Amino acid sequence: MRGNSFGKMFSLTSFGESHGPAMGVVIDGVPAGLSVSLEDLQRELDRRAPGKIAGTTSRNEDDKAVILSGVFEGKTLGTPIAVIVHNTNQKSADYDKLKEEHRPGHADKTTMMKYGIRDHRGGGRSSGRETLSRVVAGYFAGLVLPQVKVKAYVSLLGPFEHKEILKDLSADLSPYSFPDTKRNDEIKKYLEDLKAQGESVGGRVRIVVEDSPVGLGEPAFDKLKADFAKALLSIGAVVSFSYGLGEEMAQMKGSAVSNTANAFGGMEGGISNGEKMVMTITFKPTSTVGDKAKEGRHDPCIIPRAIPVVEAMVKVVLADHFLRQNAYQI
């Protein structure tokens, strides 16, 4: 099985299955001498960890990061960084019904068609649990560009919608990452009701990036927008990507686009222009529904726990392109 690595100058390789002994990641290309805080890394993992947000999965994992290599006395060595997180709360029996059944939209059926074998417990490599490896990589990517601010938030979840672009990227939107935090109790009840019904829902997430360096991205196949798209669409439940005005351009004239501020979301010709980057992605509803959802430990909506994953993949792309652009100046 290939396709477990991402990036060129800053690269990550994730490994492990949802119900195996551990999940992990090897990160290569991190410059030497950067200060590492295990507490900050753990804080990022806690944002994604199961069992932390009311109305989501009941699986409860501490997700404690163990750094095996690449860091010494709180500093990166410039060598490959290996991090593992042990799985401690597997209940594989919850997934017995999925051994012979295939969830629409999930990789159950296609994995069997491709490989002739699959780990049905929690989805194996296709489980959302794989994304904790990305969060770890995102933490180290953030060390490369500490001045860059990356904020992802819910712009649509069921009946809850926020149309305006977030202005304050330092705002605490926990636990549901919805800008109108006064509606958190409503969101909690909505998700709990969905879970009780064995139902699920999708939604949209907007990403805003400020203070990105100018000149990131290459003009042909390695456009910055193209790598953002690949990074974000590689997250299991993401089904679409756009940036700037996105699909709105389909109904606009060129003159209107030209007169719209930051119409291209901080990227022109696939290269960053120094303006605020704005991207939008769509998440499908969680594939597990009905009795299987009621009996197992599934998220009625994956988006609240996916927010740190989204931010991590954006940081990985930015760090990778920054190191490509400045390979001989680091």
Side-chain angles (χ1 to χ4, degrees), residues 1-33:
M1 180 184 290
R2 302 293 297 174
N4 297 297
S5 300
F6 182 87
K8 294 184 177 181
M9 293 295 290
F10 181 103
S11 65
L12 69 97
T13 300
S14 72
F15 61 89
E17 289 79 43
S18 178
H19 285 232
M23 306 296 297
V25 61
V26 177
I27 307 154
D28 205 358
V30 181

Side-chain angles (χ1 to χ4, degrees), residues 26-226:
V26 177
I27 307 154
D28 205 358
V30 181
L34 302 181
S35 297
V36 175
S37 166
L38 190 57
E39 291 77 14
D40 289 346
L41 170 58
Q42 193 59 54
R43 191 176 297 112
E44 288 302 303
L45 282 170
D46 289 346
R47 294 174 62 207
R48 193 223 68 94
K52 309 293 185 185
I53 303 175
T56 60
T57 177
S58 58
R59 181 170 179 170
N60 195 349
E61 294 276 4
D62 288 335
D63 282 358
K64 295 298 182 185
V66 180
I67 299 176
L68 302 180
S69 67
V71 177
F72 179 66
E73 294 183 343
K75 299 284 186 180
T76 57
L77 292 171
T79 57
I81 297 169
V83 181
I84 63 169
V85 173
H86 291 286
N87 296 326
T88 61
N89 191 228
Q90 307 100 313
K91 292 186 179 179
S92 300
D94 287 348
Y95 295 87
D96 284 349
K97 285 190 174 183
L98 297 179
K99 190 171 185 178
E100 305 299 333
E101 297 182 28
H102 299 151
R103 293 166 289 180
H106 210 284
D108 298 342
K109 182 179 180 180
T110 49
T111 297
M112 282 299 296
M113 293 170 69
K114 183 174 177 67
Y115 300 105
I117 186 172
R118 74 181 177 96
D119 183 348
H120 68 279
R121 305 166 304 168
R125 281 295 287 162
S126 298
S127 169
R129 187 151 178 75
E130 181 270 341
T131 60
L132 69 82
S133 301
R134 303 168 186 239
V135 173
V136 173
Y139 165 76
F140 285 98
L143 301 182
V144 178
L145 288 169
Q147 80 281 7
V148 177
K149 303 178 186 69
V150 178
K151 187 77 167 183
Y153 60 95
V154 175
S155 60
L156 179 68
L157 191 162
F160 307 96
E161 185 172 15
H162 185 87
K163 295 182 179 181
E164 297 180 1
I165 295 174
L166 192 68
K167 293 182 173 62
D168 182 7
L169 302 197
S170 64
D172 181 6
L173 306 182
S174 58
Y176 298 106
S177 295
F178 189 70
D180 186 358
T181 55
K182 294 177 182 177
R183 305 194 72 181
N184 280 349
D185 288 342
E186 294 177 62
I187 296 174
K188 173 186 174 183
K189 185 179 186 307
Y190 177 71
L191 294 177
E192 289 176 340
D193 287 347
L194 285 176
K195 193 169 182 64
Q197 298 162 17
E199 191 54 273
S200 65
V201 72
R204 283 196 298 269
V205 168
R206 183 168 287 124
I207 307 115
V208 180
V209 180
E210 290 183 348
D211 301 327
S212 170
V214 174
L216 303 187
E218 308 298 339
F221 296 107
D222 289 341
K223 291 179 172 69
L224 189 62
K225 64 175 182 178

Side-chain angles (χ1 to χ4, degrees), residues 265-281:
M267 293 172 279
E268 295 179 81
I271 299 172
S272 62
N273 62 13
E275 295 179 0
K276 181 184 295 185
M277 293 181 186
V278 181
M279 296 169 274
T280 303
I281 56 177

